[in-house]
Amino acid sequence: MSSNTVEHNRRRHDFSGVESIWLFGYGSLIYKVDFPYLEQKPASIQGWTRRFWQGSHDHRGTPEAPGRVVTLIEQPGATCKGMAYRVSPNVFEHLDVREKNGYLRFTTTLTFDDGSEAEGLVYIATEDNEAFLGRAPDAAIARQIATATGPSGANSEYLLRLADSLRALGAECTHTFSVEACLKADA
Ligand code: BEZ
């Protein structure tokens, strides 16, 4: 699949008659909230884990030297904690462009901290997209992040802001914190 997902996403969900919808954020959507929302609540999704396995050619790297950003990988039994936003469907006109480098919208069940649930959407870059980089040792991922930079800034800033946001949420993410530790050890 082409890494530009704007047109794919426009065809994926019919929002006619829908006033608002929950969106689950597990990466930059936790700390870069450049869209209006009606409500915001910490939430989790089950069966997915956060990994720095997606290449970033347009935000935190370049086509010649891509950075690494997070996507979700299926893992039975895993819980991924993040932030949920109840948004008007027109927010996706902006977010589909912002997250166009390989991310498709999927339907998922969100669990809020009080145990209640709601259906919502989540952006996932699956391994069949052209920008997918895949598994690498945490130290190698950190080395790539340390040197990459793109139109949205340094890839290291993305990692450090995400790690800080996850700690503020009380989220356990062994992978993110391990890559962060490798980055700091090499600094
Ligand atoms: C997120 O924070 O949920 C997100 C991460 C990457 C692309 C799109 C959304």
Side-chain angles (χ1 to χ4, degrees):
M1 185 186 59
S2 150
S3 64
N4 187 329
T5 45
V6 173
E7 287 309 320
H8 292 278
N9 276 321
R10 284 197 179 134
R11 288 193 295 267
R12 273 174 94 80
H13 298 106
D14 179 7
F15 293 125
S16 41
V18 175
E19 234 173 65
S20 69
I21 186 153
W22 283 101
L23 167 67
F24 179 75
Y26 58 92
S28 61
L29 289 182
I30 299 177
Y31 66 83
K32 187 178 174 190
V33 190
D34 59 354
F35 52 90
Y37 59 85
L38 304 161
E39 205 178 337
Q40 175 192 39
K41 290 203 266 189
S44 301
I45 60 172
Q46 310 299 322
W48 295 93
T49 192
R50 190 186 284 104
R51 290 286 180 269
F52 277 83
W53 289 6
Q54 175 69 0
S56 178
H57 308 78
D58 59 344
H59 280 298
R60 300 290 179 166
T62 61
E64 297 73 35
R68 276 186 179 255
V69 289
V70 288
T71 185
L72 293 179
I73 303 296
E74 269 188 288
Q75 185 178 294
T79 296
C80 178
K81 181 145 192 183
M83 186 62 82
Y85 306 90
R86 191 164 62 82
V87 297
S88 159
N90 62 21
V91 160
F92 293 104
E93 287 164 28
H94 163 62
L95 287 178
D96 286 353
V97 173
R98 171 178 146 180
E99 306 300 352
K100 67 182 185 308
N101 197 25
Y103 291 89
L104 292 175
R105 289 190 245 118
F106 288 85
T107 303
T108 189
T109 302
L110 281 60
T111 306
F112 300 109
D113 285 359
D114 65 2
S116 63
E117 292 184 344
E119 289 301 294
L121 297 178
V122 59
Y123 284 97
I124 299 176
T126 54
E127 60 188 59
D128 57 353
N129 86 86
E130 284 175 359
F132 191 79
L133 295 176
R135 183 190 298 271
D138 290 350
I141 291 176
R143 279 195 299 276
Q144 183 171 351
I145 289 173
T147 55
T149 190
S152 297
N155 202 177
S156 56
E157 183 207 25
Y158 170 99
L159 165 61
L160 298 173
R161 287 190 73 181
L162 177 58
D164 282 345
S165 306
L166 292 176
R167 272 187 289 274
L169 266 177
E172 286 295 322
C173 187
T174 318
H175 172 69
T176 300
F177 296 146
S178 166
V179 176
E180 179 195 35
C182 293
L183 182 92
K184 288 182 170 173
D186 276 353

PDB file of all heavy atoms in Angstrom, residues 31 52 60 145 154-167 176-177 179-181 183-184 187:
ATOM      1  N   TYR A  31       0.105  14.328  23.047  1.00  0.00           N
ATOM      2  CA  TYR A  31       0.670  15.619  23.468  1.00  0.00           C
ATOM      3  C   TYR A  31       0.536  16.730  22.424  1.00  0.00           C
ATOM      4  O   TYR A  31       0.696  17.903  22.753  1.00  0.00           O
ATOM      5  CB  TYR A  31       2.145  15.470  23.888  1.00  0.00           C
ATOM      6  CG  TYR A  31       3.073  15.084  22.752  1.00  0.00           C
ATOM      7  CD1 TYR A  31       3.572  16.044  21.893  1.00  0.00           C
ATOM      8  CD2 TYR A  31       3.440  13.758  22.553  1.00  0.00           C
ATOM      9  CE1 TYR A  31       4.406  15.699  20.838  1.00  0.00           C
ATOM     10  CE2 TYR A  31       4.272  13.395  21.503  1.00  0.00           C
ATOM     11  CZ  TYR A  31       4.746  14.363  20.654  1.00  0.00           C
ATOM     12  OH  TYR A  31       5.549  14.023  19.619  1.00  0.00           O
ATOM     13  N   PHE A  52       8.087   1.554  18.047  1.00  0.00           N
ATOM     14  CA  PHE A  52       8.709   2.534  17.139  1.00  0.00           C
ATOM     15  C   PHE A  52       9.113   1.826  15.848  1.00  0.00           C
ATOM     16  O   PHE A  52      10.290   1.737  15.522  1.00  0.00           O
ATOM     17  CB  PHE A  52       9.939   3.176  17.810  1.00  0.00           C
ATOM     18  CG  PHE A  52       9.591   4.314  18.728  1.00  0.00           C
ATOM     19  CD1 PHE A  52       9.185   4.058  20.029  1.00  0.00           C
ATOM     20  CD2 PHE A  52       9.642   5.626  18.294  1.00  0.00           C
ATOM     21  CE1 PHE A  52       8.857   5.106  20.882  1.00  0.00           C
ATOM     22  CE2 PHE A  52       9.312   6.682  19.145  1.00  0.00           C
ATOM     23  CZ  PHE A  52       8.908   6.415  20.437  1.00  0.00           C
ATOM     24  N   ARG A  60       9.226  13.643  11.210  1.00  0.00           N
ATOM     25  CA  ARG A  60      10.397  13.534  12.097  1.00  0.00           C
ATOM     26  C   ARG A  60      11.594  12.945  11.382  1.00  0.00           C
ATOM     27  O   ARG A  60      12.494  12.373  12.000  1.00  0.00           O
ATOM     28  CB  ARG A  60      10.040  12.703  13.326  1.00  0.00           C
ATOM     29  CG  ARG A  60       8.900  13.302  14.143  1.00  0.00           C
ATOM     30  CD  ARG A  60       9.339  14.589  14.857  1.00  0.00           C
ATOM     31  NE  ARG A  60       8.229  15.172  15.619  1.00  0.00           N
ATOM     32  CZ  ARG A  60       8.379  16.121  16.534  1.00  0.00           C
ATOM     33  NH1 ARG A  60       9.563  16.601  16.811  1.00  0.00           N
ATOM     34  NH2 ARG A  60       7.336  16.611  17.163  1.00  0.00           N
ATOM     35  N   ILE A 145      16.803   7.454  15.907  1.00  0.00           N
ATOM     36  CA  ILE A 145      16.018   8.599  16.393  1.00  0.00           C
ATOM     37  C   ILE A 145      16.938   9.769  16.754  1.00  0.00           C
ATOM     38  O   ILE A 145      16.611  10.941  16.531  1.00  0.00           O
ATOM     39  CB  ILE A 145      15.150   8.170  17.604  1.00  0.00           C
ATOM     40  CG1 ILE A 145      14.006   7.258  17.121  1.00  0.00           C
ATOM     41  CG2 ILE A 145      14.603   9.369  18.373  1.00  0.00           C
ATOM     42  CD1 ILE A 145      13.166   6.638  18.225  1.00  0.00           C
ATOM     43  N   ALA A 154      12.999  17.571  15.644  1.00  0.00           N
ATOM     44  CA  ALA A 154      13.893  16.441  15.901  1.00  0.00           C
ATOM     45  C   ALA A 154      13.088  15.217  16.322  1.00  0.00           C
ATOM     46  O   ALA A 154      12.147  15.309  17.112  1.00  0.00           O
ATOM     47  CB  ALA A 154      14.888  16.811  16.993  1.00  0.00           C
ATOM     48  N   ASN A 155      13.521  14.064  15.813  1.00  0.00           N
ATOM     49  CA  ASN A 155      12.870  12.810  16.192  1.00  0.00           C
ATOM     50  C   ASN A 155      13.061  12.541  17.694  1.00  0.00           C
ATOM     51  O   ASN A 155      12.192  11.991  18.362  1.00  0.00           O
ATOM     52  CB  ASN A 155      13.488  11.675  15.357  1.00  0.00           C
ATOM     53  CG  ASN A 155      12.640  10.438  15.218  1.00  0.00           C
ATOM     54  OD1 ASN A 155      13.028   9.500  14.520  1.00  0.00           O
ATOM     55  ND2 ASN A 155      11.502  10.377  15.861  1.00  0.00           N
ATOM     56  N   SER A 156      14.191  12.987  18.243  1.00  0.00           N
ATOM     57  CA  SER A 156      14.440  12.780  19.677  1.00  0.00           C
ATOM     58  C   SER A 156      13.412  13.540  20.517  1.00  0.00           C
ATOM     59  O   SER A 156      12.973  13.061  21.560  1.00  0.00           O
ATOM     60  CB  SER A 156      15.861  13.225  20.047  1.00  0.00           C
ATOM     61  OG  SER A 156      16.056  14.560  19.660  1.00  0.00           O
ATOM     62  N   GLU A 157      13.000  14.719  20.050  1.00  0.00           N
ATOM     63  CA  GLU A 157      11.987  15.487  20.793  1.00  0.00           C
ATOM     64  C   GLU A 157      10.676  14.707  20.836  1.00  0.00           C
ATOM     65  O   GLU A 157       9.985  14.645  21.860  1.00  0.00           O
ATOM     66  CB  GLU A 157      11.777  16.849  20.128  1.00  0.00           C
ATOM     67  CG  GLU A 157      10.800  17.729  20.885  1.00  0.00           C
ATOM     68  CD  GLU A 157      10.073  18.736  20.016  1.00  0.00           C
ATOM     69  OE1 GLU A 157       9.934  18.513  18.802  1.00  0.00           O
ATOM     70  OE2 GLU A 157       9.627  19.748  20.562  1.00  0.00           O
ATOM     71  N   TYR A 158      10.319  14.076  19.711  1.00  0.00           N
ATOM     72  CA  TYR A 158       9.096  13.253  19.653  1.00  0.00           C
ATOM     73  C   TYR A 158       9.152  12.152  20.705  1.00  0.00           C
ATOM     74  O   TYR A 158       8.221  11.938  21.472  1.00  0.00           O
ATOM     75  CB  TYR A 158       8.976  12.677  18.237  1.00  0.00           C
ATOM     76  CG  TYR A 158       7.912  11.612  18.031  1.00  0.00           C
ATOM     77  CD1 TYR A 158       6.671  11.935  17.470  1.00  0.00           C
ATOM     78  CD2 TYR A 158       8.147  10.280  18.362  1.00  0.00           C
ATOM     79  CE1 TYR A 158       5.705  10.970  17.266  1.00  0.00           C
ATOM     80  CE2 TYR A 158       7.187   9.307  18.164  1.00  0.00           C
ATOM     81  CZ  TYR A 158       5.970   9.656  17.609  1.00  0.00           C
ATOM     82  OH  TYR A 158       5.007   8.678  17.414  1.00  0.00           O
ATOM     83  N   LEU A 159      10.286  11.435  20.747  1.00  0.00           N
ATOM     84  CA  LEU A 159      10.443  10.339  21.712  1.00  0.00           C
ATOM     85  C   LEU A 159      10.362  10.855  23.155  1.00  0.00           C
ATOM     86  O   LEU A 159       9.642  10.287  23.992  1.00  0.00           O
ATOM     87  CB  LEU A 159      11.785   9.628  21.465  1.00  0.00           C
ATOM     88  CG  LEU A 159      12.290   8.707  22.572  1.00  0.00           C
ATOM     89  CD1 LEU A 159      11.323   7.559  22.842  1.00  0.00           C
ATOM     90  CD2 LEU A 159      13.673   8.156  22.211  1.00  0.00           C
ATOM     91  N   LEU A 160      11.090  11.927  23.444  1.00  0.00           N
ATOM     92  CA  LEU A 160      11.142  12.423  24.834  1.00  0.00           C
ATOM     93  C   LEU A 160       9.791  12.972  25.276  1.00  0.00           C
ATOM     94  O   LEU A 160       9.368  12.751  26.414  1.00  0.00           O
ATOM     95  CB  LEU A 160      12.244  13.482  24.975  1.00  0.00           C
ATOM     96  CG  LEU A 160      13.664  12.957  24.692  1.00  0.00           C
ATOM     97  CD1 LEU A 160      14.673  14.107  24.698  1.00  0.00           C
ATOM     98  CD2 LEU A 160      14.079  11.878  25.694  1.00  0.00           C
ATOM     99  N   ARG A 161       9.093  13.666  24.372  1.00  0.00           N
ATOM    100  CA  ARG A 161       7.759  14.200  24.742  1.00  0.00           C
ATOM    101  C   ARG A 161       6.768  13.065  24.937  1.00  0.00           C
ATOM    102  O   ARG A 161       5.938  13.101  25.839  1.00  0.00           O
ATOM    103  CB  ARG A 161       7.254  15.165  23.660  1.00  0.00           C
ATOM    104  CG  ARG A 161       7.999  16.480  23.693  1.00  0.00           C
ATOM    105  CD  ARG A 161       7.353  17.505  22.795  1.00  0.00           C
ATOM    106  NE  ARG A 161       6.107  18.007  23.359  1.00  0.00           N
ATOM    107  CZ  ARG A 161       5.336  18.899  22.748  1.00  0.00           C
ATOM    108  NH1 ARG A 161       5.679  19.363  21.565  1.00  0.00           N
ATOM    109  NH2 ARG A 161       4.223  19.325  23.307  1.00  0.00           N
ATOM    110  N   LEU A 162       6.862  12.039  24.088  1.00  0.00           N
ATOM    111  CA  LEU A 162       5.949  10.900  24.245  1.00  0.00           C
ATOM    112  C   LEU A 162       6.217  10.186  25.568  1.00  0.00           C
ATOM    113  O   LEU A 162       5.286   9.875  26.321  1.00  0.00           O
ATOM    114  CB  LEU A 162       6.092   9.929  23.061  1.00  0.00           C
ATOM    115  CG  LEU A 162       5.235   8.666  23.154  1.00  0.00           C
ATOM    116  CD1 LEU A 162       3.739   9.004  23.272  1.00  0.00           C
ATOM    117  CD2 LEU A 162       5.476   7.763  21.947  1.00  0.00           C
ATOM    118  N   ALA A 163       7.487   9.935  25.875  1.00  0.00           N
ATOM    119  CA  ALA A 163       7.830   9.237  27.127  1.00  0.00           C
ATOM    120  C   ALA A 163       7.335  10.046  28.335  1.00  0.00           C
ATOM    121  O   ALA A 163       6.751   9.484  29.274  1.00  0.00           O
ATOM    122  CB  ALA A 163       9.339   9.009  27.197  1.00  0.00           C
ATOM    123  N   ASP A 164       7.540  11.353  28.325  1.00  0.00           N
ATOM    124  CA  ASP A 164       7.058  12.202  29.438  1.00  0.00           C
ATOM    125  C   ASP A 164       5.529  12.145  29.544  1.00  0.00           C
ATOM    126  O   ASP A 164       4.977  12.061  30.645  1.00  0.00           O
ATOM    127  CB  ASP A 164       7.491  13.663  29.227  1.00  0.00           C
ATOM    128  CG  ASP A 164       8.956  13.880  29.589  1.00  0.00           C
ATOM    129  OD1 ASP A 164       9.548  13.007  30.262  1.00  0.00           O
ATOM    130  OD2 ASP A 164       9.516  14.923  29.186  1.00  0.00           O
ATOM    131  N   SER A 165       4.856  12.185  28.394  1.00  0.00           N
ATOM    132  CA  SER A 165       3.382  12.151  28.403  1.00  0.00           C
ATOM    133  C   SER A 165       2.877  10.820  28.941  1.00  0.00           C
ATOM    134  O   SER A 165       1.868  10.770  29.648  1.00  0.00           O
ATOM    135  CB  SER A 165       2.832  12.363  26.995  1.00  0.00           C
ATOM    136  OG  SER A 165       3.334  13.526  26.447  1.00  0.00           O
ATOM    137  N   LEU A 166       3.558   9.737  28.592  1.00  0.00           N
ATOM    138  CA  LEU A 166       3.132   8.412  29.076  1.00  0.00           C
ATOM    139  C   LEU A 166       3.318   8.323  30.589  1.00  0.00           C
ATOM    140  O   LEU A 166       2.462   7.788  31.296  1.00  0.00           O
ATOM    141  CB  LEU A 166       3.910   7.302  28.360  1.00  0.00           C
ATOM    142  CG  LEU A 166       3.593   7.156  26.869  1.00  0.00           C
ATOM    143  CD1 LEU A 166       4.491   6.093  26.230  1.00  0.00           C
ATOM    144  CD2 LEU A 166       2.126   6.785  26.646  1.00  0.00           C
ATOM    145  N   ARG A 167       4.434   8.865  31.088  1.00  0.00           N
ATOM    146  CA  ARG A 167       4.636   8.854  32.552  1.00  0.00           C
ATOM    147  C   ARG A 167       3.529   9.668  33.237  1.00  0.00           C
ATOM    148  O   ARG A 167       2.988   9.250  34.258  1.00  0.00           O
ATOM    149  CB  ARG A 167       6.016   9.425  32.913  1.00  0.00           C
ATOM    150  CG  ARG A 167       7.112   8.354  32.907  1.00  0.00           C
ATOM    151  CD  ARG A 167       8.424   8.907  33.439  1.00  0.00           C
ATOM    152  NE  ARG A 167       9.030   9.831  32.496  1.00  0.00           N
ATOM    153  CZ  ARG A 167       9.821   9.464  31.487  1.00  0.00           C
ATOM    154  NH1 ARG A 167      10.136   8.194  31.320  1.00  0.00           N
ATOM    155  NH2 ARG A 167      10.329  10.358  30.667  1.00  0.00           N
ATOM    156  N   THR A 176       8.917   1.982  24.913  1.00  0.00           N
ATOM    157  CA  THR A 176       9.209   3.422  24.796  1.00  0.00           C
ATOM    158  C   THR A 176      10.254   3.845  25.825  1.00  0.00           C
ATOM    159  O   THR A 176      11.203   4.578  25.508  1.00  0.00           O
ATOM    160  CB  THR A 176       7.915   4.249  24.992  1.00  0.00           C
ATOM    161  OG1 THR A 176       6.983   3.867  23.984  1.00  0.00           O
ATOM    162  CG2 THR A 176       8.186   5.743  24.888  1.00  0.00           C
ATOM    163  N   PHE A 177      10.100   3.360  27.062  1.00  0.00           N
ATOM    164  CA  PHE A 177      11.030   3.791  28.107  1.00  0.00           C
ATOM    165  C   PHE A 177      12.432   3.201  27.875  1.00  0.00           C
ATOM    166  O   PHE A 177      13.440   3.824  28.215  1.00  0.00           O
ATOM    167  CB  PHE A 177      10.487   3.411  29.490  1.00  0.00           C
ATOM    168  CG  PHE A 177       9.190   4.125  29.836  1.00  0.00           C
ATOM    169  CD1 PHE A 177       8.212   3.501  30.590  1.00  0.00           C
ATOM    170  CD2 PHE A 177       8.932   5.417  29.379  1.00  0.00           C
ATOM    171  CE1 PHE A 177       7.014   4.151  30.902  1.00  0.00           C
ATOM    172  CE2 PHE A 177       7.737   6.077  29.673  1.00  0.00           C
ATOM    173  CZ  PHE A 177       6.781   5.441  30.438  1.00  0.00           C
ATOM    174  N   VAL A 179      13.767   2.579  24.807  1.00  0.00           N
ATOM    175  CA  VAL A 179      14.369   3.369  23.721  1.00  0.00           C
ATOM    176  C   VAL A 179      14.806   4.730  24.271  1.00  0.00           C
ATOM    177  O   VAL A 179      15.893   5.233  23.944  1.00  0.00           O
ATOM    178  CB  VAL A 179      13.367   3.528  22.536  1.00  0.00           C
ATOM    179  CG1 VAL A 179      13.951   4.436  21.462  1.00  0.00           C
ATOM    180  CG2 VAL A 179      13.014   2.168  21.942  1.00  0.00           C
ATOM    181  N   GLU A 180      13.983   5.310  25.138  1.00  0.00           N
ATOM    182  CA  GLU A 180      14.345   6.601  25.758  1.00  0.00           C
ATOM    183  C   GLU A 180      15.646   6.460  26.561  1.00  0.00           C
ATOM    184  O   GLU A 180      16.552   7.312  26.474  1.00  0.00           O
ATOM    185  CB  GLU A 180      13.205   7.056  26.687  1.00  0.00           C
ATOM    186  CG  GLU A 180      13.509   8.374  27.399  1.00  0.00           C
ATOM    187  CD  GLU A 180      12.553   8.616  28.574  1.00  0.00           C
ATOM    188  OE1 GLU A 180      12.145   7.651  29.255  1.00  0.00           O
ATOM    189  OE2 GLU A 180      12.237   9.798  28.816  1.00  0.00           O
ATOM    190  N   ALA A 181      15.757   5.379  27.336  1.00  0.00           N
ATOM    191  CA  ALA A 181      16.970   5.167  28.146  1.00  0.00           C
ATOM    192  C   ALA A 181      18.197   5.021  27.252  1.00  0.00           C
ATOM    193  O   ALA A 181      19.280   5.561  27.558  1.00  0.00           O
ATOM    194  CB  ALA A 181      16.797   3.935  29.033  1.00  0.00           C
ATOM    195  N   LEU A 183      18.596   6.309  24.269  1.00  0.00           N
ATOM    196  CA  LEU A 183      18.883   7.638  23.703  1.00  0.00           C
ATOM    197  C   LEU A 183      19.648   8.480  24.713  1.00  0.00           C
ATOM    198  O   LEU A 183      20.664   9.118  24.388  1.00  0.00           O
ATOM    199  CB  LEU A 183      17.581   8.336  23.320  1.00  0.00           C
ATOM    200  CG  LEU A 183      17.751   9.707  22.689  1.00  0.00           C
ATOM    201  CD1 LEU A 183      17.811   9.580  21.162  1.00  0.00           C
ATOM    202  CD2 LEU A 183      16.624  10.662  23.046  1.00  0.00           C
ATOM    203  N   LYS A 184      19.172   8.452  25.964  1.00  0.00           N
ATOM    204  CA  LYS A 184      19.818   9.286  26.995  1.00  0.00           C
ATOM    205  C   LYS A 184      21.218   8.775  27.329  1.00  0.00           C
ATOM    206  O   LYS A 184      22.113   9.564  27.626  1.00  0.00           O
ATOM    207  CB  LYS A 184      18.938   9.328  28.257  1.00  0.00           C
ATOM    208  CG  LYS A 184      17.679  10.186  28.043  1.00  0.00           C
ATOM    209  CD  LYS A 184      16.823  10.273  29.288  1.00  0.00           C
ATOM    210  CE  LYS A 184      15.724  11.326  29.127  1.00  0.00           C
ATOM    211  NZ  LYS A 184      14.769  11.333  30.247  1.00  0.00           N
ATOM    212  N   ALA A 187      23.696  10.112  24.830  1.00  0.00           N
ATOM    213  CA  ALA A 187      23.742  11.568  24.612  1.00  0.00           C
ATOM    214  C   ALA A 187      25.042  12.169  25.128  1.00  0.00           C
ATOM    215  O   ALA A 187      25.672  11.651  26.018  1.00  0.00           O
ATOM    216  CB  ALA A 187      22.559  12.228  25.309  1.00  0.00           C
TER     217      ALA A 187
END
